[in-house]
mmCIF file of all heavy atoms in Angstrom:
data_model
loop_
_atom_site.group_PDB
_atom_site.id
_atom_site.type_symbol
_atom_site.label_atom_id
_atom_site.label_comp_id
_atom_site.label_asym_id
_atom_site.label_seq_id
_atom_site.Cartn_x
_atom_site.Cartn_y
_atom_site.Cartn_z
ATOM 1 N N ILE P 89 -0.285 -11.922 25.474
ATOM 2 C CA ILE P 89 -0.608 -10.668 24.788
ATOM 3 C C ILE P 89 -1.950 -10.109 25.234
ATOM 4 O O ILE P 89 -2.296 -8.979 24.906
ATOM 5 C CB ILE P 89 -0.608 -10.837 23.249
ATOM 6 C CG1 ILE P 89 -1.658 -11.866 22.807
ATOM 7 C CG2 ILE P 89 0.768 -11.236 22.753
ATOM 8 C CD1 ILE P 89 -1.985 -11.768 21.334
ATOM 9 N N SER P 90 -2.694 -10.889 25.995
ATOM 10 C CA SER P 90 -4.032 -10.444 26.375
ATOM 11 C C SER P 90 -4.442 -11.112 27.686
ATOM 12 O O SER P 90 -5.296 -11.988 27.712
ATOM 13 C CB SER P 90 -5.010 -10.800 25.247
ATOM 14 O OG SER P 90 -6.252 -10.199 25.472
ATOM 15 N N PRO P 91 -3.834 -10.650 28.800
ATOM 16 C CA PRO P 91 -4.001 -11.359 30.083
ATOM 17 C C PRO P 91 -5.438 -11.403 30.596
ATOM 18 O O PRO P 91 -5.765 -12.253 31.408
ATOM 19 C CB PRO P 91 -3.116 -10.555 31.047
ATOM 20 C CG PRO P 91 -2.213 -9.733 30.185
ATOM 21 C CD PRO P 91 -2.942 -9.493 28.912
ATOM 22 N N LYS P 92 -6.295 -10.486 30.128
ATOM 23 C CA LYS P 92 -7.660 -10.459 30.662
ATOM 24 C C LYS P 92 -8.666 -11.194 29.787
ATOM 25 O O LYS P 92 -9.882 -11.109 29.991
ATOM 26 C CB LYS P 92 -8.114 -9.003 30.854
ATOM 27 C CG LYS P 92 -7.326 -8.314 31.961
ATOM 28 C CD LYS P 92 -7.771 -6.891 32.182
ATOM 29 C CE LYS P 92 -6.921 -6.256 33.288
ATOM 30 N NZ LYS P 92 -7.155 -4.817 33.433
ATOM 31 N N ALA P 93 -8.199 -11.887 28.776
ATOM 32 C CA ALA P 93 -9.108 -12.596 27.870
ATOM 33 C C ALA P 93 -9.807 -13.740 28.585
ATOM 34 O O ALA P 93 -9.338 -14.246 29.600
ATOM 35 C CB ALA P 93 -8.323 -13.125 26.677
ATOM 36 N N THR P 94 -10.976 -14.126 28.049
ATOM 37 C CA THR P 94 -11.670 -15.320 28.536
ATOM 38 C C THR P 94 -11.820 -16.285 27.371
ATOM 39 O O THR P 94 -11.949 -15.864 26.224
ATOM 40 C CB THR P 94 -13.076 -14.992 29.083
ATOM 41 O OG1 THR P 94 -13.853 -14.403 28.032
ATOM 42 C CG2 THR P 94 -13.009 -14.027 30.249
ATOM 43 N N VAL P 95 -11.792 -17.570 27.674
ATOM 44 C CA VAL P 95 -11.940 -18.591 26.632
ATOM 45 C C VAL P 95 -13.148 -19.454 26.976
ATOM 46 O O VAL P 95 -13.185 -20.080 28.039
ATOM 47 C CB VAL P 95 -10.678 -19.469 26.531
ATOM 48 C CG1 VAL P 95 -10.915 -20.634 25.572
ATOM 49 C CG2 VAL P 95 -9.488 -18.642 26.061
ATOM 50 N N ASN P 96 -14.144 -19.453 26.099
ATOM 51 C CA ASN P 96 -15.336 -20.275 26.301
ATOM 52 C C ASN P 96 -15.393 -21.358 25.223
ATOM 53 O O ASN P 96 -15.374 -21.047 24.038
ATOM 54 C CB ASN P 96 -16.611 -19.428 26.208
ATOM 55 C CG ASN P 96 -16.669 -18.361 27.279
ATOM 56 O OD1 ASN P 96 -15.929 -18.410 28.261
ATOM 57 N ND2 ASN P 96 -17.544 -17.391 27.092
ATOM 58 N N ILE P 97 -15.473 -22.598 25.667
ATOM 59 C CA ILE P 97 -15.588 -23.715 24.732
ATOM 60 C C ILE P 97 -17.077 -24.003 24.524
ATOM 61 O O ILE P 97 -17.826 -24.143 25.484
ATOM 62 C CB ILE P 97 -14.927 -24.995 25.297
ATOM 63 C CG1 ILE P 97 -13.513 -24.705 25.805
ATOM 64 C CG2 ILE P 97 -14.958 -26.117 24.264
ATOM 65 C CD1 ILE P 97 -12.481 -24.533 24.767
ATOM 66 N N ILE P 98 -17.477 -24.082 23.262
ATOM 67 C CA ILE P 98 -18.882 -24.319 22.922
ATOM 68 C C ILE P 98 -19.017 -25.711 22.299
ATOM 69 O O ILE P 98 -18.270 -26.056 21.383
ATOM 70 C CB ILE P 98 -19.377 -23.290 21.875
ATOM 71 C CG1 ILE P 98 -18.905 -21.874 22.190
ATOM 72 C CG2 ILE P 98 -20.883 -23.369 21.686
ATOM 73 C CD1 ILE P 98 -19.576 -21.216 23.334
ATOM 74 N N ARG P 99 -19.969 -26.481 22.824
ATOM 75 C CA ARG P 99 -20.311 -27.751 22.173
ATOM 76 C C ARG P 99 -21.822 -27.830 22.071
ATOM 77 O O ARG P 99 -22.518 -27.589 23.051
ATOM 78 C CB ARG P 99 -19.771 -28.951 22.976
ATOM 79 C CG ARG P 99 -18.244 -29.026 22.931
ATOM 80 C CD ARG P 99 -17.713 -30.284 23.622
ATOM 81 N NE ARG P 99 -16.281 -30.128 23.873
ATOM 82 C CZ ARG P 99 -15.651 -30.523 24.974
ATOM 83 N NH1 ARG P 99 -16.328 -31.120 25.930
ATOM 84 N NH2 ARG P 99 -14.363 -30.339 25.109
ATOM 85 N N ASP P 100 -22.320 -28.170 20.904
ATOM 86 C CA ASP P 100 -23.761 -28.250 20.652
ATOM 87 C C ASP P 100 -24.466 -26.973 21.133
ATOM 88 O O ASP P 100 -25.470 -27.026 21.833
ATOM 89 C CB ASP P 100 -24.348 -29.492 21.335
ATOM 90 C CG ASP P 100 -25.771 -29.768 20.856
ATOM 91 O OD1 ASP P 100 -26.141 -29.294 19.761
ATOM 92 O OD2 ASP P 100 -26.514 -30.442 21.595
ATOM 93 N N PHE P 101 -23.916 -25.832 20.763
ATOM 94 C CA PHE P 101 -24.452 -24.500 21.056
ATOM 95 C C PHE P 101 -24.386 -24.108 22.529
ATOM 96 O O PHE P 101 -24.884 -23.071 22.923
ATOM 97 C CB PHE P 101 -25.905 -24.337 20.575
ATOM 98 C CG PHE P 101 -26.072 -24.431 19.094
ATOM 99 C CD1 PHE P 101 -26.623 -25.571 18.514
ATOM 100 C CD2 PHE P 101 -25.670 -23.385 18.268
ATOM 101 C CE1 PHE P 101 -26.774 -25.660 17.137
ATOM 102 C CE2 PHE P 101 -25.825 -23.478 16.898
ATOM 103 C CZ PHE P 101 -26.378 -24.612 16.327
ATOM 104 N N GLU P 102 -23.830 -24.974 23.364
ATOM 105 C CA GLU P 102 -23.786 -24.642 24.795
ATOM 106 C C GLU P 102 -22.354 -24.397 25.266
ATOM 107 O O GLU P 102 -21.431 -25.054 24.799
ATOM 108 C CB GLU P 102 -24.408 -25.774 25.621
ATOM 109 C CG GLU P 102 -25.908 -25.853 25.412
ATOM 110 C CD GLU P 102 -26.545 -26.946 26.252
ATOM 111 O OE1 GLU P 102 -25.823 -27.590 27.043
ATOM 112 O OE2 GLU P 102 -27.761 -27.153 26.099
ATOM 113 N N VAL P 103 -22.224 -23.477 26.220
ATOM 114 C CA VAL P 103 -20.904 -23.214 26.790
ATOM 115 C C VAL P 103 -20.595 -24.337 27.771
ATOM 116 O O VAL P 103 -21.257 -24.476 28.791
ATOM 117 C CB VAL P 103 -20.874 -21.864 27.541
ATOM 118 C CG1 VAL P 103 -19.497 -21.622 28.145
ATOM 119 C CG2 VAL P 103 -21.236 -20.718 26.609
ATOM 120 N N VAL P 104 -19.617 -25.167 27.444
ATOM 121 C CA VAL P 104 -19.304 -26.284 28.337
ATOM 122 C C VAL P 104 -18.115 -25.957 29.234
ATOM 123 O O VAL P 104 -17.853 -26.648 30.205
ATOM 124 C CB VAL P 104 -19.002 -27.587 27.563
ATOM 125 C CG1 VAL P 104 -20.241 -28.055 26.820
ATOM 126 C CG2 VAL P 104 -17.838 -27.400 26.605
ATOM 127 N N GLN P 105 -17.395 -24.908 28.893
ATOM 128 C CA GLN P 105 -16.256 -24.508 29.727
ATOM 129 C C GLN P 105 -16.072 -23.018 29.558
ATOM 130 O O GLN P 105 -16.045 -22.514 28.437
ATOM 131 C CB GLN P 105 -15.015 -25.256 29.267
ATOM 132 C CG GLN P 105 -13.886 -25.231 30.262
ATOM 133 C CD GLN P 105 -12.680 -26.018 29.722
ATOM 134 O OE1 GLN P 105 -12.831 -27.117 29.192
ATOM 135 N NE2 GLN P 105 -11.513 -25.441 29.822
ATOM 136 N N LYS P 106 -15.994 -22.316 30.650
ATOM 137 C CA LYS P 106 -15.937 -20.867 30.589
ATOM 138 C C LYS P 106 -14.905 -20.402 31.592
ATOM 139 O O LYS P 106 -14.911 -20.835 32.736
ATOM 140 C CB LYS P 106 -17.315 -20.304 30.966
ATOM 141 C CG LYS P 106 -17.452 -18.813 30.794
ATOM 142 C CD LYS P 106 -18.920 -18.403 30.902
ATOM 143 C CE LYS P 106 -19.074 -16.928 30.574
ATOM 144 N NZ LYS P 106 -20.449 -16.536 30.312
ATOM 145 N N GLY P 107 -14.013 -19.554 31.182
ATOM 146 C CA GLY P 107 -13.056 -19.134 32.186
ATOM 147 C C GLY P 107 -12.126 -18.043 31.743
ATOM 148 O O GLY P 107 -11.875 -17.856 30.560
ATOM 149 N N LYS P 108 -11.656 -17.310 32.738
ATOM 150 C CA LYS P 108 -10.602 -16.338 32.497
ATOM 151 C C LYS P 108 -9.324 -17.088 32.185
ATOM 152 O O LYS P 108 -9.071 -18.159 32.726
ATOM 153 C CB LYS P 108 -10.380 -15.478 33.747
ATOM 154 C CG LYS P 108 -11.374 -14.364 33.894
ATOM 155 C CD LYS P 108 -10.902 -13.346 34.924
ATOM 156 C CE LYS P 108 -11.908 -12.208 35.018
ATOM 157 N NZ LYS P 108 -11.541 -11.222 36.038
ATOM 158 N N ILE P 109 -8.540 -16.503 31.339
ATOM 159 C CA ILE P 109 -7.226 -17.061 31.107
ATOM 160 C C ILE P 109 -6.364 -16.749 32.314
ATOM 161 O O ILE P 109 -6.388 -15.641 32.839
ATOM 162 C CB ILE P 109 -6.611 -16.426 29.838
ATOM 163 C CG1 ILE P 109 -7.287 -16.980 28.589
ATOM 164 C CG2 ILE P 109 -5.112 -16.640 29.798
ATOM 165 C CD1 ILE P 109 -6.706 -16.453 27.301
#
Side-chain angles (χ1 to χ4, degrees):
Chain P
I89 61 163
S90 190
K92 292 181 181 172
T94 60
V95 173
N96 298 344
I97 310 285
I98 317 287
R99 291 185 195 140
D100 192 21
F101 296 105
E102 290 182 4
V103 179
V104 295
Q105 196 180 315
K106 187 168 186 165
K108 279 195 178 177
I109 286 182

